[in-house]
Amino acid sequence: MWDYSDKVIDHYRNPRNVGKIDNADAIGEAGSLACGDSLKIYLKINNGIVTDAKFQTFGCGSAVASSSILTEMIIGKPIEEVKKITNKDIADQLGGLPPEKMHCSVMGYEALEDALKNYDDYTDLDDIRNEEEANKQREKIVCTCFGITENVIWDAIKINGLKTVEEITNYTKAGGACGKCKGLIQDIINTYYKKEEHEKAESTLSPAQKILKINNVIENQISPELRKDGGDITLVDIDGNKVMVKLRGKCSGCKNSHLTLKSFVESTLRETVDKNIEVIEV
């Protein structure tokens, strides 16, 4: 048996703000009946403040409790503050959830994100839903059984520090049916932490190491690319994250990706050395 906090039990037995809001200013959905859990959240927003929130959910007690407490967390709060809420915040407000039920807090987070996405840019809820459906179709589906995308898994890792496929399944349900996607999930985990290690290494470079690395990237990666089209680059000076260079000509890589010569150099140095590098053309 799983252990549930008193708060989870209370919100399951006495859910707050159940129902729908007619003429809601924002509506968000997450999950699906095919997956076993679904949630729809309705928001009324006035002058940037969430004045009311209601939900309709189909799922287990943890799904009901997560949805219920989420509405309490957001009513009366400014939109900018509401946008910062994560699934971890929802679970923490409930006093924790069993690992196997963390996907319920993720569903609440996703429904809220769905409701707020593009809220400032659109007034027609049909436009919002159509745009979001198009975005979802463009995302890479990793778990076809539950329709879980790569972005959902990436966010779950980032927010909750997940490190195993089993943890991903607990938080998102991905890999919980046929299991064919477990290899892809492991690849995403490996890629995330490889990227994290790279960023950590960047932040620990000494000034001398950074200068050497910038020189190396310019000489061995950037300059050869520019020379293909008769261009070139000369490193003038380095001051912290500011890299002063002289540029000449063009590059085929810039043309194909619609980058300017300067932005090509800057993006390459940010990717390989430090994401805060600023290239200044002199």
Side-chain angles (χ1 to χ4, degrees):
M1 287 290 294
W2 295 311
D3 291 326
Y4 294 102
S5 69
D6 291 340
K7 214 163 188 179
V8 171
I9 295 171
D10 177 37
H11 276 268
Y12 168 59
R13 291 177 175 171
N14 307 287
R16 285 67 150 171
N17 305 306
V18 177
K20 65 179 293 187
I21 297 175
D22 294 327
N23 300 316
D25 296 305
I27 299 174
E29 297 180 77
S32 71
L33 293 179
C35 302
D37 296 299
S38 67
L39 168 63
K40 196 168 188 177
I41 190 168
Y42 303 82
L43 307 180
K44 284 297 288 183
I45 302 169
N46 186 20
N47 293 325
I49 305 293
V50 177
T51 57
D52 195 11
K54 294 190 182 299
F55 75 93
Q56 295 173 320
T57 190
F58 177 89
C60 64
S62 296
V64 174
S66 295
S67 305
S68 173
I69 202 159
L70 174 60
T71 59
E72 289 199 325
M73 292 169 66
I74 63 179
I75 292 175
K77 298 289 179 62
I79 286 291
E80 292 308 311
E81 186 174 337
V82 171
K83 286 180 179 178
K84 297 176 183 178
I85 292 174
T86 67
N87 74 279
K88 187 175 184 302
D89 296 326
I90 297 170
D92 288 346
Q93 284 292 317
L94 286 170
L97 283 169
E100 296 82 359
K101 292 295 181 179
M102 283 300 295
H103 64 269
C104 296
S105 65
V106 174
M107 186 170 67
Y109 161 75
E110 290 177 349
L112 179 62
E113 184 181 48
D114 187 46
L116 296 177
K117 192 180 294 181
N118 300 320
Y119 169 74
D120 294 331
D121 299 325
Y122 294 92
T123 56
D124 189 324
L125 291 177
D126 287 333
D127 285 347
I128 295 174
R129 285 191 284 268
N130 291 338
E131 176 68 17
E132 289 173 353
E133 183 62 28
N135 288 337
K136 186 173 182 179
Q137 290 175 2
R138 287 193 291 267
E139 292 179 10
K140 179 181 178 182
I141 300 289
V142 175
C143 178
T144 56
C145 295
F146 294 117
I148 307 301
T149 66
E150 184 174 14
N151 288 349
V152 169
I153 295 173
W154 191 272
D155 285 346
I157 296 171
K158 182 178 180 180
I159 293 170
N160 303 285
L162 310 183
K163 294 186 177 180
T164 68
V165 174
E166 182 181 2
E167 288 176 327
I168 296 294
T169 302
N170 289 338
Y171 276 70
T172 69
K173 287 195 171 182
C178 73
K180 291 181 179 179
C181 61
K182 288 186 176 181
L184 289 175
I185 295 171
Q186 186 63 59
D187 288 343
I188 294 171
I189 294 171
N190 294 343
T191 300
Y192 177 86
Y193 284 105
K194 184 178 179 181
K195 181 174 181 290
E196 187 180 63
E197 288 175 6
H198 176 70
E199 291 177 350
K200 189 179 293 185
E202 287 177 357
S203 64
T204 57
L205 287 176
S206 69
Q209 289 173 325
K210 182 177 287 188
I211 291 171
L212 288 173
K213 192 166 186 180
I214 290 171
N215 268 294
N216 182 60
V217 171
I218 288 175
E219 289 179 7
N220 296 297
Q221 290 182 233
I222 297 175
S223 187
E225 183 66 31
L226 301 187
R227 287 172 183 166
K228 290 178 183 178
D229 294 291
D232 208 346
I233 180 172
T234 301
L235 179 61
V236 177
D237 195 11
I238 299 174
D239 182 10
N241 284 323
K242 293 182 178 180
V243 179
M244 279 68 78
V245 298
K246 284 185 178 180
L247 298 169
R248 185 177 73 252
K250 59 183 181 179
C251 70
S252 57
C254 303
K255 182 179 179 182
N256 294 336
S257 60
H258 307 291
L259 293 171
T260 65
L261 198 59
K262 176 190 167 191
S263 63
F264 165 71
V265 174
E266 189 170 76
S267 63
T268 303
L269 289 174
R270 284 179 175 179
E271 183 179 343
T272 56
V273 182
D274 190 315
K275 63 183 178 181
N276 297 309
I277 279 180
E278 176 187 0
V279 170
I280 301 172
E281 194 171 358
V282 297

